[in-house]
Amino acid sequence: EGAFLQDGQGAVSTAGDITTTDDSVTFNSAVTLTGAVAIDTGAGAGTVAFNDTLDGAQTLGLTAGTGDINFDGIVGGTSALGAVTINSATDVTAGLAFNAASLRQVAGSGTTTFTDALTTTAAAGIEIDGTNVDFNDTVSLTLGDLDVDATGTVRFNGLVTTSDVNNGLVTISNGGQLTMTSTGDMGLEGAFLQDGQGAVSTAGDITTSNDNVTLQSATTLSGSVAIDAGATGDVIMVNPDNDFNKKIFVTGNEISVLAKDVIEVQISAHGNTDIVSGGRLTVNGTLGQSSDLALTSETDILFGNLSVQGDLQSVTRGPGTSGGVLQKANTALSVHGASTFTADIGKDQVATLTRSDNDFVGPVTFNDANDGNWVSISIVDKNNLTLGDVTATGNLNATAATD
């Protein structure tokens, strides 16, 4: 009916369970599990504390009710624990490295914090259900998936790696903000899925082994970000409140990106790509394998070095020089399929595609929609230029030459 306190100088070897009635369980010395252990302080405020190291390749079940669970020493430093299950707690804190076969947290009403590296090796991987979750250092899974379901915030501040070629999925269901710092990169054998209702703030890169990368919530870039889904993985970031105020590098098969304002994107795609921007859209990169590129901007589109093996469709909606299409200095626009530039809504738009290394292999069309119009069109092709339909109310200057 009371608390359990081990406060001697000697080490502890245990295979015994401990149950209290809302009272704390504390180990001050190093503990080694020699068999499966369950510690249950009840539904009240009994805390479970391991104040020194904890080792032993055995299962460990912890129930702390509204109390906390504290791992103050290295966990599994000499011998990794087996499957660790946390059934309930308010705050869960691992102050140093944590090594186990797997980790399952069923519930947590406070904050779960891993201050140092978290490592698991078994197929059960890591599954955490709780309120707030903070990974302050690296997270490494030899097998299995990482699944975090938090009603509050989630933060990654260290490299996350999954190595299971048959699984390796990372799923983050965040009710509050998901934060990935500049050191919170993801290197995954599986897909990355963010599907919570909370917003996302990221400066962390995401790399998968040809698996999809999906961010469903409004995403803000706090630094330049690279997302690489390989040759066959798709990249999906289509929340209308996405705010990409930093440059984003995107590699994948099919790519779909939507931003509410200005965006600069570097593309490497093997499938069709669709990018929509609420402000100026700056685009660079390469699309192979006859992949099509569809670009839509509420203002204008600025082309850098861009090579498109399929068709290019461009829609701009800003009026006058706030709309239309133009190019950075010393760049080239190469399109092997058809190129279609549409002046939509915005009146008196200007097209200036005059860099000397431009190469439009397919026909080039300028048209209008919804009362928009081209007031001036200038285009240069280093080879032959084939113009399709051209609708312009002002000047048309077309220059072509052969090598």
Side-chain angles (χ1 to χ4, degrees):
E1 288 293 328
F4 174 91
L5 171 63
Q6 181 276 320
D7 62 356
Q9 298 299 310
V12 176
S13 177
T14 181
D17 299 338
I18 301 174
T19 301
T20 71
T21 305
D22 302 336
D23 295 297
S24 297
V25 173
T26 304
F27 292 93
N28 283 327
S29 297
V31 175
T32 300
L33 306 181
T34 57
V37 170
I39 299 175
D40 187 345
T41 64
T47 289
V48 178
F50 296 93
N51 294 333
D52 206 322
T53 59
L54 174 62
D55 290 289
Q58 305 293 330
T59 61
L60 175 64
L62 302 174
T63 302
T66 59
D68 299 332
I69 297 175
N70 298 318
F71 302 95
D72 290 340
I74 296 175
V75 176
T78 300
S79 175
L81 303 189
V84 176
T85 302
I86 298 171
N87 293 302
S88 62
T90 296
D91 294 333
V92 177
T93 304
L96 295 172
F98 192 104
N99 303 278
S102 61
L103 174 64
R104 172 71 174 109
Q105 180 172 333
V106 179
S109 59
T111 300
T112 297
T113 303
F114 295 92
T115 305
D116 211 322
L118 170 62
T119 303
T120 63
T121 56
I126 300 171
E127 183 177 0
I128 297 176
D129 290 354
T131 303
N132 304 304
V133 184
D134 188 358
F135 300 97
N136 191 57
D137 209 313
T138 59
V139 181
S140 303
L141 295 84
T142 303
L143 297 172
D145 303 327
L146 170 62
D147 188 344
V148 178
D149 192 342
T151 59
T153 62
V154 179
R155 185 180 81 112
F156 290 95
N157 192 47
L159 176 66
V160 177
T161 56
T162 62
S163 303
D164 190 340
V165 296
N166 296 315
N167 294 287
L169 172 69
V170 170
T171 303
I172 311 298
S173 303
N174 52 302
Q177 179 167 290
L178 166 62
T179 300
M180 297 169 59
T181 69
S182 60
T183 53
D185 298 334
M186 303 267 175
L188 311 178
E189 281 292 337
F192 176 91
L193 172 62
Q194 180 277 325
D195 63 356
Q197 298 300 310
V200 178
S201 174
T202 182
D205 300 337
I206 302 174
T207 302
T208 71
S209 295
N210 298 315
D211 294 293
N212 293 351
V213 175
T214 305
L215 289 100
Q216 293 185 0
S217 294
T219 299
T220 299
L221 303 186
S222 56
S224 294
V225 169
I227 296 177
D228 187 347
T232 59
D234 298 336
V235 178
I236 304 166
M237 305 173 68
V238 294
N239 191 291
D241 290 323
N242 287 339
D243 186 3
F244 299 141
N245 55 346
K246 306 291 185 181
K247 189 172 184 179
I248 184 169
F249 300 80
V250 185
T251 300
N253 178 33
E254 294 190 355
I255 298 172
S256 298
V257 176
L258 173 62
K260 70 176 182 179
D261 206 341
V262 174
I263 179 175
E264 180 173 3
V265 60
Q266 178 81 35
I267 305 168
S268 177
H270 301 276
N272 297 335
T273 295
D274 189 356
I275 301 175
V276 179
S277 173
R280 167 170 281 188
L281 170 54
T282 302
V283 61
N284 318 265
T286 302
L287 283 82
Q289 301 177 350
S290 300
S291 302
D292 298 335
L293 175 61
L295 306 174
T296 302
S297 171
E298 292 300 316
T299 57
D300 61 351
I301 296 175
L302 175 61
F303 291 101
N305 284 311
L306 179 65
S307 175
V308 181
Q309 294 297 311
D311 296 338
L312 169 64
Q313 296 184 18
S314 162
V315 177
T316 51
R317 296 188 172 126
T321 56
S322 297
V325 291
L326 66 162
Q327 291 181 270
K328 291 183 178 181
N330 303 313
T331 61
L333 176 57
S334 175
V335 183
H336 284 246
S339 300
T340 303
F341 300 93
T342 301
D344 182 28
I345 300 175
K347 295 183 179 299
D348 298 335
Q349 295 190 41
V350 176
T352 307
L353 303 173
T354 56
R355 301 306 176 197
S356 59
D357 286 329
N358 289 344
D359 187 12
F360 299 95
V361 178
V364 180
T365 300
F366 291 88
N367 57 28
D368 55 37
N370 301 313
D371 296 326
N373 69 283
W374 296 105
V375 70
S376 177
I377 298 171
S378 300
I379 184 168
V380 170
D381 193 319
K382 70 177 181 179
N383 294 303
N384 296 324
L385 175 62
T386 302
L387 289 176
D389 294 336
V390 176
T391 302
T393 60
N395 296 327
L396 171 61
N397 297 298
T399 302
T402 56
D403 294 335

